[in-house]
Structures are given as C-alpha cells and as structure tokens.
Amino acid sequence: MGRVLSSDLLKIRRKGLWLLAVSGPFGIVALQALNFGIRYDYLTKKYADDLWGGLIENIALLVPVTVLAGVTLISSLIANVEHQTNSWKQLLALPVPRTAVFAAKFLLSVILLGVSCALLAWGTAALGVALGFGWDFPAVKILKISFLPFLASLPFLALLLWMSLTVRNQAAPVAIGLLAAVCSLFAGQLPEFVPLAWPLLAAGPPSGLRLAVGGGVLLGALILLVGAVHFERRDVD
Amino acid sequence: MSEWIIQTKDLCKSYRGRLAVDHVNLNIARGEIYGFLGPNGAGKTTTIRMLLGLIKPTRGSVEIFGKSLKREKLHILRKIGSLVEYPSYYGHLTAVENLEAIRRILDVPKTRIAQVLETVGLTKDAKRPVKGFSLGMKQRLGIAAALLGEPEMLILDEPTNGLDPSGILEIRELIKAMPKQHGITVLVSSHLLSEVEQMASTVGIIRQGRMVFQDTIESLRRQSEGSISVAVSEPEEALLALLRMGFRGKLENGRIALERTDDQSVARIVKALVEQNHAVYRVEEKRKSLEELFLQIVGEGGGA
Ligand SMILES: Nc1ncnc2c1ncn2[C@@H]1O[C@H](COP(=O)(O)OP(=O)(O)O)[C@@H](O)[C@H]1O
Ligand SMILES: [Mg+2]
C-alpha cells in the first residue's frame, strides 16, 4: 500500500489539495484574529481570568463545520483525480489489490486533514501569543480541539470517500457532506449518540468527548471496512 | 494442444438480463497478434474488461498464462499491460509524471520510463503536461504505460479508434514490432478489419456477444476466395441441370453463381453445359474482398 500511497501523493500535485488543507486552519485562525482584533477590549475583559481558554473556546466553535467541509471537499477532489480522465480502468488493471487502492486514498485524506489539524494547533498558539496572552499556552487543550473533532468526523470521511470513489457524479457526496457541515453548527441540539453531534462534542468538555472520539474511530473503521469490501467486488466501467 | 496464453471457457456477461458477452471461447497462442474484431456494441470491451479482472463474468472462466484469473489475479496482471477504450491519463501531470505514478505501483526501475517513452516516440514531449497532447500522443502514452512493467502480454482495446491515418499507421507499426522485438503476445481489438488484417496472425470475430469466427487470417482469406459466375443462354434450365449433377449454386442477376469450385469441377460444368447445347458466354471468378467477407460474417443471421 505504501507504493500506491506514494503514487497518489504524486498524482495530487498541482491539484490544489495542499492549498485546501492549508486554507481550512488559516481561515479559522484569520476569522478569530479578526474577532479578537476588533473586539479586543471587550473580549479580553470577558475572558479576563482565562484568556487562552476564551480563545480556544472561540476557535473550537468553528472546527466541526470546517473539518466536515474539509472532509467533503478533500475526499471528492481525491476521487476526482481518477474520475476525471477515467483512470480507474488503468489503475485497477495494475497488479495491486483494490483494497490497497482504497486504503491509500483514505490514508491520503487522513494525511492531508492531519496536516490541517496540526496547522490549526500551531496557528491557534501563534494567534494567542500574538494577542499577548503569554507563552504559557495550554498545549494539550489546543491539540485536543485541533485533532479530536477530526477523529470524531472519521465516519463521515469513510462514508464520503466511499461514495466519491464509487460514483462518478460528485454532486451527491458533496451535497451530503456540505449539508452535514452546516447542520453540525446546530449539533448541540442533537442527542449524543447521533454521529453528526460528535465533531462538536469532541471539541467540548470531557463528558461527551469519549463517546464522540471512540464512536468516531470505531464507526469510521467499520464504514471503511464495508466500503473496502464493496470497492473490491464492484465492476469497474 | 499448443500453449494458450489466454483461454476463456463459455465466458458470459449479462447486463439487465441481456447477454453482452455470450459463451465466448477465446484462444490466444503465445507470440501471436490476435485481432479481436466486431462491430460497435458487439462485446469486445466487455470481454476485455473481464480478461483484466475489471468486471466479473456472469458465467464461465478465464485462464491466463495457464492460471485461473479468479484465483491468481495479481500474479497474472503483473505480466499484462493494457489499454482499454479511450486513453487514461492524468492531464495535469507531464508524460514522465504519468508514467512515474504507474511506475511507483509496479516497482520497476526508473530507467524504464525513458525506455518506454523512446519506444513510443514521445521522448521529446516527456516534460509536457499531457492535457495538451493530441489523441494520438495520448494513445501512445497509454501504450507506453502498458509497456512499463515489461509485460508478456499486451491487451489493447481499439487503440487506433479516432486517430488520423498517420496516427493509425504509427500505432500499427508499434504493435507489429511487439512480438518480434519484445516477444510480447498482443490482443488488439477493432471494429474495422482493415486496421487489423495487416498485423494480426489470428482473428476472432464477435457479433452480438457471440464468437462467430476464430481462426488464422489465412483461413479467413481462403474463405473469401471467389465464387464462379457463369453467363449462359438459358440460365434457369442450365442451373437446374447443374443442381441435378450435384453442384451447389443459385441465380444471381441472370447468371449462375456457383460456390467455390476447383478447376476440375469448372471443367465438368462447362463440358456439361456445352453438351446440353447451352451457349456459354462467360465464366468468371468473383472474389469477395476480406472486408466484404467480414461484413457478411458480422451481418449474418440478421435479427436485432
Ligand atoms: N455497464 C454496462 N451496463 C449495461 N450495458 C452495458 C454495460 N457495458 C456494456 N454494455 C452493453 O454491452 C454491449 C457490448 O458493449 P461493448 O463491450 O462496449 O461493445 P464493443 O466494445 O464491442 O463496442 C453493448 O450492447 C453495451 O450497451
Ligand atoms: Mg469497445
């Protein structure tokens, strides 16, 4: 699978995927820079006893919707590299297990989105320091809000990637993904066992976090497995 | 039995209850160029997709290199290079990058890329994005990709479709060189006999999913050899007389058309006619072109 992944990394050159992976975290940090920049006095007073906590809370609010939108666009763009010129028949006639092809695409998405998460963590810390909140930033907390919502979104990544890879027309997976992203803004009202509530839960207090992350990883793995089995068996046109 | 590189047994594929490929028994021997012929929609691409494991047969089996495709797919695919229908390529990448993407999966030495580009004559355009290539160049890049893994067998589906005459010629020369220079067996499909007859040693003709002819090109040529046309004074009576003597024929445009007949038979026919006081005006041999024969085979049995 390493060989397929290395081939995939080459194929996404000049496709704007890395740019997309950078723009997500950049967007969140820029928005909060604007927010804190404009309302500096008001917000620093409001969060006076925990400046870093206030910043992290505001960042965390934007993470679920951004992660879900990112998951949607990245999986669709990755699939499109093969759909665009009908490369499936060439790729899948190579001596490589189809499950490896499927897994490599998933891993590529995880790498791209993982880079986004890391950049978000770095950007959050940098923003806080720039805003004068001091150097003693709560690293664990920052890493948690940066990475855990992504782990909680893995079921969506597995599902949307599976859909994107199997249907040529990307309208359906993109529409579903973006709808989920928008709905996740209001996910606070959903019961905790609904997967759509997980990305937001994962950015919140520890009570719901375990279910959100654990459920996300488990359900994600399950959907990935089912998707891989289907991808292995389907006819390629 | 000789060594078949590809052998299918009663291969079937049905779409919505209709057999797109109907009990096809393909036999391809080592080192030959096998022309797989049939009109559009006959089932060539569907058959080829099954040979490559891209789609699953509804019934029947495929053996390649003497092994079951179902059981040893990856092992078999390692020794096959393929180009199915219109070319696959990554338009935003250069020719070299396209080949590198495949090379990484095949795990062959980097030097192969320059070699195959040389083989298909794309060395000059190696560093250009493929989206700017002509169809002929894309098709040649596809062949380069198929050759990258040093295959023993090349499967090319309509590689000359949509090309201009010079493009067709280039591809044909390329294919012709494969068995001789590289020891590669080739399966090449086409809907035009003329594109295949100059390179293929064996042809299989498929019509509405069924194999209707499979033999050497010489055998096809022999079949196309002429019928005898005889112009006489009273054709109806003359034909009756000949039929009574055991010859087979029919009236065509007021002439007697007799099936392929050897010299002795022609002599007997003329003698008999003369003895029965028919005036024999002309005895002609009519040759069907290979193309006519192909169209006849493909059109035979009619029905939609
Ligand atoms: N995925 C599919 N679904 C339904 N019908 C198909 C599919 N693929 C091929 N067919 C049908 O199978 C028949 C053979 O098609 P094909 O193998 O592409 O022919 P050829 O390559 O000889 O032109 C056609 O009637 C075509 O419509
Ligand atoms: Mg075809």
Side-chain angles (χ1 to χ4, degrees):
Chain A
M1 194 188 55
R3 287 187 274 139
V4 190
L5 182 62
S6 122
S7 170
D8 276 341
L9 280 167
L10 171 65
K11 285 184 215 163
I12 62 165
R13 267 188 207 171
R14 299 191 284 280
K15 273 283 173 188
L17 274 147
W18 289 109
L19 187 70
L20 185 68
V22 171
S23 60
F26 180 81
I28 294 180
V29 173
L31 220 59
Q32 287 309 330
L34 211 63
N35 183 24
F36 276 78
I38 292 170
R39 308 192 293 164
Y40 189 81
D41 295 331
Y42 167 74
L43 287 175
T44 44
K45 203 171 295 163
K46 185 178 169 194
Y47 299 122
D49 44 344
D50 183 8
L51 285 171
W52 276 107
L55 174 64
I56 289 168
E57 193 180 298
N58 276 276
I59 294 262
L61 227 51
L62 296 174
V63 176
V65 57
T66 314
V67 166
L68 285 174
V71 159
T72 306
L73 296 179
I74 285 204
S75 52
S76 174
L77 286 172
I78 284 180
N80 229 9
V81 170
E82 309 292 348
H83 286 311
Q84 215 164 36
T85 49
N86 268 296
S87 302
W88 289 114
K89 55 190 180 348
Q90 187 180 58
L91 177 60
L92 298 180
L94 293 176
V96 57
R98 287 199 195 174
T99 43
V101 172
F102 192 76
K105 303 272 182 217
F106 181 78
L107 214 60
L108 180 65
S109 317
V110 169
I111 291 173
L112 283 160
L113 291 157
V115 167
S116 299
C117 295
L119 283 175
L120 178 64
W122 180 82
T124 303
L127 177 61
V129 171
L131 288 168
F133 297 170
W135 280 95
D136 53 342
F137 51 81
V140 174
K141 231 170 137 187
I142 289 177
L143 288 173
K144 270 186 171 172
I145 61 132
S146 301
F147 281 91
L148 296 186
F150 171 49
L151 292 183
S153 305
L154 285 177
F156 290 92
L157 176 59
L159 185 71
L160 291 171
L161 186 67
W162 175 17
M163 282 180 76
S164 299
L165 290 178
T166 42
V167 295
R168 203 177 145 70
N169 187 339
Q170 299 292 296
V174 170
I176 291 172
L178 292 184
L179 190 70
V182 172
C183 290
S184 77
L185 286 170
F186 314 102
Q189 273 115 59
L190 289 172
E192 286 194 351
F193 62 82
V194 178
L196 191 52
W198 295 347
L200 189 65
L201 274 180
S207 56
L209 194 148
R210 198 167 303 147
L211 168 71
V213 175
V217 172
L218 280 179
L219 186 60
L222 184 71
I223 295 175
L224 189 69
L225 198 73
V226 175
V229 169
H230 170 250
F231 188 75
E232 167 76 34
R233 295 190 181 168
R234 66 188 292 267
D235 279 0
V236 181
D237 283 309
Chain B
M1 207 155 202
S2 73
E3 189 191 6
W4 299 122
I5 287 244
I6 292 188
Q7 184 169 37
T8 70
K9 292 208 181 91
D10 294 325
L11 197 61
C12 297
K13 180 74 185 179
S14 73
Y15 286 116
R16 287 177 233 102
R18 228 191 94 245
L19 283 173
V21 172
D22 189 355
H23 294 87
V24 165
N25 295 299
L26 212 58
N27 293 313
I28 303 179
R30 184 179 289 280
E32 74 177 348
I33 296 182
Y34 184 101
F36 192 30
L37 288 167
N40 286 325
K44 302 181 296 294
T45 301
T46 306
T47 304
I48 285 173
R49 281 182 197 280
M50 284 191 278
L51 296 182
L52 294 169
L54 291 171
I55 60 177
K56 296 217 159 53
T58 308
R59 206 165 335 122
S61 65
V62 178
E63 271 191 21
I64 304 183
F65 307 122
K67 298 194 170 78
S68 154
L69 180 67
K70 207 165 148 192
R71 258 173 278 131
E72 301 190 51
K73 183 168 136 185
L74 296 185
H75 187 89
I76 290 168
L77 288 180
R78 184 67 194 80
K79 298 195 275 184
I80 292 186
S82 66
L83 178 63
V84 182
E85 286 188 311
Y86 33 87
S88 304
Y89 57 93
Y90 303 103
H92 60 293
L93 301 179
T94 66
V96 171
E97 287 168 334
N98 264 276
L99 294 174
E100 171 66 14
I102 296 168
R103 188 202 69 81
R104 289 188 183 182
I105 293 176
L106 290 174
D107 203 19
V108 292
K110 272 206 157 122
T111 49
R112 275 301 289 163
I113 292 180
Q115 285 171 10
V116 294
L117 281 172
E118 174 78 40
T119 306
V120 301
L122 280 177
T123 308
K124 274 207 318 286
D125 304 283
K127 298 268 163 60
R128 277 176 51 199
V130 174
K131 58 176 169 246
F133 278 20
S134 69
L135 181 61
M137 290 164 76
K138 285 173 184 161
Q139 206 67 303
R140 277 186 281 150
L141 178 65
I143 294 181
L147 289 172
L148 203 55
E150 301 194 70
E152 289 177 28
M153 167 99 217
L154 259 189
I155 296 182
L156 308 172
D157 186 21
E158 307 232 17
T160 49
N161 206 3
L163 299 187
D164 57 18
S166 73
I168 292 176
L169 195 69
E170 278 171 9
I171 301 264
R172 192 188 291 149
E173 292 307 312
L174 205 55
I175 294 172
K176 265 175 152 168
M178 289 302 150
K180 276 180 244 139
Q181 289 176 16
H182 310 276
I184 300 174
T185 309
V186 184
L187 164 63
V188 54
S189 82
S190 177
H191 61 278
L192 295 173
L193 175 70
S194 56
E195 281 184 6
V196 171
E197 69 167 293
Q198 292 159 58
M199 52 184 174
S201 41
T202 304
V203 288
I205 301 177
I206 187 172
R207 193 187 115 249
Q208 291 176 12
R210 295 217 187 119
M211 212 49 159
V212 286
F213 177 91
Q214 181 169 240
D215 208 332
T216 59
I217 195 108
E218 286 83 48
S219 155
L220 188 65
R221 286 222 173 83
R222 243 178 278 128
Q223 288 203 17
S224 79
E225 264 156 26
S227 60
I228 301 290
S229 166
V230 188
V232 290
S233 45
E234 290 94 22
E236 270 135 53
E237 286 169 38
L239 177 65
L240 267 173
L242 293 179
L243 291 177
R244 245 178 270 129
M245 287 170 68
F247 291 106
R248 293 202 292 169
K250 56 182 188 249
L251 274 189
E252 247 172 33
N253 305 326
R255 290 170 161 224
I256 300 168
L258 295 156
E259 279 176 25
R260 195 153 58 87
T261 6
D262 54 30
D263 291 351
Q264 272 82 27
S265 305
V266 175
R268 279 176 57 213
I269 287 167
V270 173
K271 184 157 178 268
L273 290 176
V274 170
E275 278 172 4
Q276 293 175 32
N277 291 323
H278 291 286
V280 178
Y281 303 138
R282 276 181 171 74
V283 179
E284 291 170 341
E285 179 162 23
K286 279 217 278 196
R287 281 180 164 272
K288 249 184 281 172
S289 76
L290 216 49
E291 197 66 41
E292 279 171 333
L293 180 68
F294 172 59
L295 290 175
Q296 188 197 324
I297 291 175
V298 153
E300 240 164 40

